[in-house]
């Protein structure tokens, strides 16, 4: 035997000896109500674990030798929960901080994009990927990652495709794959040659039917870009395992999607659950995949089907059902114990047979230092003046009393509602921040590094309201831009220049005095903070804005503002 064969010989011999009472197993979990995702039933039994994997169901305890025994006291045992699509580096938390928030929710596996961080890193993209994935196998969740399908140079994608734990190519850019970009052709060729997966970002509402054929025809593995019933219908008709995303969507959008699946009686085998983008604060207050499964059950899904959409369906979609997604021999011992199937309550979370979380508290985490990824700010707004932020009307009425301007809204209510062109009052030659009698804030989108004339887009904004002061933040991917919300151009300009002193940050000012600051030192997209520090910082932003007149609901303001860049880029508001 060669070395590899000898290792496998030892493992299969060890499992045989364990099942015959001649060798000691690692863990026996007993007195369980085990969910069988294959038969969609629940049965009473026990699970035996050795070398990180399940090796037996209902073993003969009279001959069993085992190091540790865990009494499940009748709790339901379900597979470790899986997020089918998460931009895990754009939740502001670095990988170990993210573990603090998502693992106690029962999540043991994520399929993760990393394109924003690597885009922000620019020429340092390969180094940034190496640091991001450093010691990934020590994390208390299972990480499968995707090389950037957009926002980065092709050579970076090619290098990242060769790294662990990368299993394929991330989402493409709508505008480039639909126009025949050669970099996209090369990226697709590389991953096809490797036999990896391709994440779909289909844009079904924006593309012609002929273009929609392209992605499934070249072998794209899934689609997570659905916003309504028609999107879902097309996605599953074209053969995509379709992700229903919860992080970026508002509650009304999410319920529209779930209601459509229930009403149309589409087989749930077509669907997986994911968050795409979700704040740490929502993870801590509402939950992660546990919350999503519970909402599905509330909306009329069979609870077992809802659990399968966050476990077995996803594992099968990525051809990993032999490793994860069910509680059967040979699979990793990723197990969640809950007292309900319709309202998931992750009382105990095991990953690789190790208890990693209990009662929504993380028990073990990797010790990884990300400080080497922190960067200093390179200012670009020295010449910015307040008048550059004044709203320039798209059109004026004949009598000059009204102006047509952009009205922006938060990303999560859907692309169709992201921006409109509306008529608003003019007074003394200035746009009045008001629409249909409702007072609004102003918003400006500002290019950080100008090459000639600086690109600025200004309008009104529904998502955050301040009576005075300003709040600004920055996002470098795919291009370095700021957004600022306020009422007064001078205050907004000052707030922007404060953010400009950082690699990235969210800052609130009043009377040109800083009231709250959240630094995003890791390439301008992540905070080098623990979860407690991160949530305290986000809360300080919200508290400062509340004093300025904002009444925030849902995601923290910093996350709302950062999510704007998704649609700002999609609708070409950034050069």
């Amino acid at each position: 035997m060669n070395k590899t064969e000898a290792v496998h010989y030892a493992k299969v011999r060890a499992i045989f000896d364990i099942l015959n009472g001649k060798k000691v197993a690692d863990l026996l979990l007993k007195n369980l109500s085990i969910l069988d995702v294959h038969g969609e039933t629940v049965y009473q039994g026990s699970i035996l674990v050795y070398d990180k994997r399940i090796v037996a169901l209902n073993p003969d305890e009279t001959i069993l030798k085992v190091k540790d025994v865990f009494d499940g006291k009748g709790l339901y045992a379900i597979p470790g929960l899986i997020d089918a699509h998460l931009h895990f580096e754009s939740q502001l938390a670095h990988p170990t901080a993210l573990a603090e928030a998502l693992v106690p929710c029962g999540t043991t596996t994520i399929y993760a994009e990393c394109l924003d961080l690597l885009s922000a890193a620019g020429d340092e993209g390969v180094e940034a990927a190496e640091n991001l994935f450093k010691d990934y196998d020590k994390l208390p969740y299972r990480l499968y990652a995707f090389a950037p399908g957009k926002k980065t140079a092709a050579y970076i994608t090619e290098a990242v495709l060769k790294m662990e734990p990368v299993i394929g190519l991330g989402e493409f850019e709508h505008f480039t794959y639909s126009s025949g970009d050669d970099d996209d052709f090369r990226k697709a060729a590389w991953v096809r040659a490797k036999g990896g997966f391709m994440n779909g970002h289909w844009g079904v509402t924006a593309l012609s039917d002929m273009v929609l054929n392209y992605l499934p025809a070249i072998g794209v593995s899934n689609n997570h870009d659905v916003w309504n019933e028609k999107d879902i219908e097309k996605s599953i008709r074209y053969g995509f395992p379709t992700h229903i995303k919860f992080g970026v969507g508002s509650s009304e959008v999410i319920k529209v999607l779930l209601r459509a699946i229930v009403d149309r009686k589409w087989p749930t085998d077509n669907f997986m659950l994911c968050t795409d983008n979700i704040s740490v604060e929502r993870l801590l207050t509402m939950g992660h995949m546990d919350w999503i499964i519970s909402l599905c059950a509330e909306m009329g899904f069979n609870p077992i089907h809802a659990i399968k959409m966050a476990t077995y369906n996803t594992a099968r979609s990525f051809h990993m059902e032999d490793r994860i997604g069910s509680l059967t021999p040979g699979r990793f011992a990723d197990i969640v114990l809950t007292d309900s199937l319709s309202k998931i309550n992750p009382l105990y979370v095991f990953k690789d047979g190790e208890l990693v979380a209990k009662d929504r508290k993380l028990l073990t985490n990797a010790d990884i230092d990300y400080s080497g990824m922190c960067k200093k700010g390179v200012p670009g707004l020295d010449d910015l003046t307040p008048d550059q932020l004044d709203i320039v009307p798209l059109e004026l009425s004949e009598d000059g009393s009204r102006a047509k301007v952009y009205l922006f809204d938060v990303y999560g209510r859907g692309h169709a509602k992201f921006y409109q062109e509306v008529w608003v009052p003019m007074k003394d030659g200035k746009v009045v921040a008001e629409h249909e009698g409702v007072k609004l804030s102003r918003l400006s989108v500002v290019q950080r590094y100008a090459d000639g004339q600086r690109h600025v887009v200004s309008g009104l904004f529904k998502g955050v309201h301040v009576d005075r002061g300003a709040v600004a933040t920055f996002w470098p991917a795919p291009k370095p831009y700021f957004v600022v919300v306020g009422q007064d151009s001078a205050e907004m300009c000052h707030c922007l220049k404060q953010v400009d002193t950082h690699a990235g940050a969210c800052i609130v000012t009043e009377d040109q005095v800083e009231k709250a600051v959240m630094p995003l030192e890791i390439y301008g997209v992540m905070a080098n903070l623990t979860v407690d520090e991160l949530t305290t910082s986000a809360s300080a932003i919200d508290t400062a804005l509340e004093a300025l007149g904002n009444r925030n609901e849902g995601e923290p303001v910093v996350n709302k503002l950062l999510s704007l860049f998704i649609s700002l880029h999609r609708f070409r508001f950034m050069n």
Side-chain angles (χ1 to χ4, degrees):
M1 289 187 181
N2 61 35
K3 185 176 180 180
T4 301
E5 291 170 340
V7 169
H8 283 287
Y9 176 88
K11 287 186 176 183
V12 296
R13 180 62 184 265
I15 293 170
F16 181 86
D17 288 343
I18 285 170
L19 298 181
N20 284 277
K22 297 178 181 179
K23 187 175 177 63
V24 180
D26 295 324
L27 175 68
L28 176 69
L29 295 98
K30 58 189 301 183
N31 297 329
L32 303 173
S33 300
I34 302 172
L35 173 61
D36 169 14
V37 296
H38 302 283
E40 298 185 355
T41 60
V42 174
Y43 64 95
Q44 306 305 306
S46 57
I47 297 173
L48 186 65
V49 177
Y50 171 72
D51 191 26
K52 302 183 179 181
R53 294 182 184 253
I54 297 169
V55 293
L57 301 175
N58 292 333
D60 182 353
E61 295 185 31
T62 62
I63 64 170
L64 197 65
K65 296 179 180 179
V66 63
K67 294 176 184 176
D68 293 306
V69 177
F70 185 95
D71 187 350
K73 298 180 179 179
L75 292 170
Y76 293 101
I78 65 174
L81 305 181
I82 304 171
D83 191 332
H85 182 85
L86 173 67
H87 291 256
F88 84 125
E89 87 305 8
S90 57
Q91 315 310 305
L92 309 184
H94 55 57
T96 56
L98 188 61
E100 297 180 59
L102 65 81
V103 174
C105 299
T107 303
T108 56
T109 299
I110 63 173
Y111 290 89
E113 295 272 359
C114 60
L115 57 93
D116 289 308
L117 178 76
L118 305 195
S119 175
D123 292 340
E124 298 179 20
V126 175
E127 177 187 350
E130 291 170 345
N131 287 324
L132 183 67
F133 299 144
K134 180 173 57 179
D135 293 330
Y136 77 91
D137 53 340
K138 296 179 181 177
L139 293 166
Y141 55 87
R142 205 172 301 284
L143 172 62
Y144 298 108
F146 296 86
K150 63 182 181 183
K151 297 187 180 181
T152 64
Y155 78 88
I156 292 176
T157 295
E158 184 180 24
V160 176
L161 277 169
K162 299 173 183 176
M163 296 181 185
E164 295 289 345
V166 176
I167 62 169
L169 183 67
E171 59 193 42
F172 285 106
E173 171 64 70
H174 295 80
F175 305 117
T176 58
Y177 76 67
S178 59
S179 61
D181 182 79
D182 190 62
D183 273 5
D184 285 354
F185 294 152
R186 289 194 290 159
K187 291 174 181 177
W190 289 328
V191 76
R192 282 165 62 102
K194 182 180 178 180
F197 299 94
M198 283 188 271
N199 275 346
H201 198 240
W202 205 25
V204 292
T205 54
L207 301 175
S208 71
D209 284 352
M210 282 305 292
V211 174
L212 291 178
N213 286 286
Y214 174 63
L215 292 185
I218 67 170
V220 167
S221 312
N222 56 67
N223 174 40
H224 71 275
D225 200 22
V226 294
W227 291 88
N228 53 49
E229 180 178 338
K230 186 176 292 186
D231 287 352
I232 296 174
E233 183 175 42
K234 279 191 174 182
S235 186
I236 61 175
R237 179 170 294 164
Y238 278 70
F240 280 117
T242 300
H243 300 164
I244 305 300
K245 57 185 177 184
F246 286 72
V248 295
S250 63
S251 59
E252 56 263 37
V253 171
I254 293 166
K255 290 180 179 179
V256 164
L257 298 176
L258 296 181
R259 194 173 292 115
I261 296 171
V262 172
D263 291 348
R264 293 288 298 272
K265 296 182 172 60
W266 280 313
T268 55
D269 287 352
N270 292 312
F271 301 106
M272 285 133 285
L273 303 177
C274 74
T275 52
D276 202 4
N277 290 283
I278 189 169
S279 71
V280 166
E281 286 75 12
R282 186 185 284 194
L283 291 173
L284 294 174
T285 57
M286 296 180 66
H288 189 212
M289 309 312 293
D290 56 331
W291 160 67
I292 296 172
I293 292 168
S294 302
L295 179 59
C296 288
E298 183 182 319
M299 292 293 294
F301 285 75
N302 178 316
I304 293 178
H305 291 170
I307 293 169
K308 286 180 68 173
M309 288 194 293
T311 55
Y312 181 70
N313 290 7
T314 304
R316 186 181 58 190
S317 171
F318 288 107
H319 304 172
M320 295 184 185
E321 68 270 34
D322 60 334
R323 296 181 236 175
I324 55 177
S326 66
L327 300 182
T328 46
R331 280 66 177 176
F332 285 112
D334 300 346
I335 305 165
V336 175
L337 302 187
T338 172
D339 55 10
S340 170
L341 294 182
S342 59
K343 190 172 180 59
I344 303 300
N345 179 24
L347 297 171
Y348 301 91
V349 182
F350 294 82
K351 189 245 181 185
D352 289 335
E354 178 185 359
L355 184 63
V356 291
K358 177 182 177 183
D359 297 329
R360 294 192 178 273
K361 298 292 184 183
L362 189 66
L363 300 179
T364 181
N365 202 355
D367 183 15
I368 305 173
D369 182 7
Y370 298 100
S371 60
M373 301 175 73
C374 294
K375 300 296 175 180
K376 293 183 178 180
V378 180
L381 297 185
D382 291 345
D383 61 345
L384 184 71
T385 57
D387 61 284
Q388 292 177 268
L389 305 182
D390 291 343
I391 299 176
V392 178
L394 304 172
E395 187 180 337
L396 284 173
S397 62
E398 289 188 9
D399 62 2
S401 65
R402 295 188 306 147
K404 181 185 284 186
V405 301
Y406 290 122
L407 172 60
F408 296 97
D409 200 353
V410 292
Y411 168 74
R413 282 193 264 269
H415 291 305
K417 298 181 179 180
F418 174 65
Y419 82 99
Q420 308 168 57
E421 295 180 6
V422 300
W423 288 95
V424 299
M426 290 281 288
K427 184 177 181 180
D428 299 328
K430 297 280 189 180
V431 169
V432 178
E434 163 183 314
H435 178 57
E436 297 181 343
V438 178
K439 293 183 178 180
L440 299 169
S441 294
R442 291 166 45 194
L443 180 141
S444 289
V445 184
V446 182
Q447 184 183 17
R448 186 169 196 174
Y449 305 111
D451 182 10
Q453 184 176 357
R454 187 181 306 280
H455 183 231
V456 178
V457 178
S458 295
L460 303 182
F461 186 45
K462 292 175 67 174
V464 175
H465 178 79
V466 292
D467 298 320
R468 60 193 186 280
V471 57
T473 192
F474 168 72
W475 193 251
K479 298 178 181 179
Y481 269 76
F482 299 90
V483 295
V484 59
V485 177
Q487 296 286 358
D488 174 74
S489 293
E491 183 75 35
M492 293 165 71
C493 183
H494 173 80
C495 190
L496 282 171
K497 290 189 174 184
Q498 295 304 109
V499 177
D500 193 37
T501 64
H502 297 261
C506 182
I507 295 179
V508 179
T509 64
E510 181 185 11
D511 296 329
Q512 301 193 7
V513 175
E514 285 189 359
K515 297 296 182 179
V517 180
M518 173 188 280
L520 300 173
E521 301 169 298
I522 300 178
Y523 290 106
V525 301
M526 288 195 301
N528 191 30
L529 302 172
T530 66
V531 160
D532 286 344
E533 292 168 339
L534 184 63
T535 54
T536 298
S537 185
S539 178
I541 297 288
D542 285 351
T543 300
L545 287 171
E546 185 174 353
L548 301 180
N550 188 54
R551 297 293 180 267
N552 191 45
E553 295 181 2
E555 297 280 21
V557 167
V558 60
N559 295 88
K560 285 184 176 180
L561 294 179
L562 290 170
S563 71
L564 288 176
F565 290 98
I566 300 171
S567 286
L568 288 170
H569 171 60
R570 188 168 193 167
F571 290 103
R572 301 299 183 95
F573 284 103
M574 299 185 289
N575 275 340

